[in-house]
């Protein structure tokens, strides 16, 4: 069982669908980091990077994946929260703060700038 607290060193992976407004010149736009229900990510949970990416790609049905650490999220003032699902114990969300879920435009841009493109379109 995964701990409910996500450590700063834990890597979070985000799949990004090949939708035009989510990409600009081959890199994710800040729109890819905005979600009114919380930015959905998968925690590494001790798995290898290649396993995390493969599982995420299979479940989401897209090949593009970015990553960032929970510590990087906290460094820009956003909150990674464990939100395990029945069919995905590695599910987590990144929220603006304890009250607001959706990232602000500036937070989405900062997270985009921090994100490492693991596999592009």
């Amino acid at each position: 069982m995964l701990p409910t607290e996500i450590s700063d060193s834990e890597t979070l992976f985000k799949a990004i669908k090949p939708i035009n407004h989510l990409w600009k010149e081959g890199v994710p736009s800040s729109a890819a980091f905005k979600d009114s229900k919380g930015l959905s990510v998968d925690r590494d949970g001790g798995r290898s990077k290649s396993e995390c990416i493969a599982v995420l790609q299979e479940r989401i049905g897209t090949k593009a994946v970015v990553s960032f650490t929970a510590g990087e999220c906290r460094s820009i003032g956003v909150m990674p929260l464990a939100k395990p699902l029945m069919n995905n114990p590695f599910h987590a969300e990144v929220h603006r703060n304890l009250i607001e879920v959706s990232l602000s435009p500036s937070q989405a841009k900062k997270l985009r700038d921090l994100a490492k493109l693991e596999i592009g379109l």
Side-chain angles (χ1 to χ4, degrees), residues 16-61:
I16 303 176
K17 295 184 178 185
I19 300 170
N20 285 343
H21 76 280
L22 299 180
W23 293 89
K24 288 187 180 177
E25 299 175 13
V27 296
S29 71
S30 60
F33 298 89
K34 300 272 293 173
D35 191 320
S36 62
K37 297 176 185 174
L39 183 67
S40 181
V41 296
D42 268 13
R43 305 169 60 176
D44 71 40
R47 299 173 296 167
S48 70
K49 177 167 59 170
S50 60
E51 180 183 353
C52 293
I53 291 169
V55 168
L56 192 58
Q57 288 174 319
E58 183 178 320
R59 190 174 61 250
I60 304 297

Side-chain angles (χ1 to χ4, degrees), residues 9-102:
S9 62
E10 191 164 356
T11 301
L12 307 175
F13 294 89
K14 170 74 180 146
I16 303 176
K17 295 184 178 185
I19 300 170
N20 285 343
H21 76 280
L22 299 180
W23 293 89
K24 288 187 180 177
E25 299 175 13
V27 296
S29 71
S30 60
F33 298 89
K34 300 272 293 173
D35 191 320
S36 62
K37 297 176 185 174
L39 183 67
S40 181
V41 296
D42 268 13
R43 305 169 60 176
D44 71 40
R47 299 173 296 167
S48 70
K49 177 167 59 170
S50 60
E51 180 183 353
C52 293
I53 291 169
V55 168
L56 192 58
Q57 288 174 319
E58 183 178 320
R59 190 174 61 250
I60 304 297
T62 185
K63 71 175 189 173
V65 176
V66 298
S67 69
F68 39 85
T69 67
E72 289 172 322
C73 289
R74 292 182 181 110
S75 77
I76 61 166
V78 298
M79 301 180 61
L81 302 167
K83 296 280 188 172
L85 302 173
M86 187 75 86
N87 63 346
N88 181 8
F90 300 101
H91 183 260
E93 292 178 0
V94 178
H95 290 192
R96 180 187 297 201
N97 55 43
L98 284 172
I99 299 167
E100 298 171 285
V101 175
S102 185

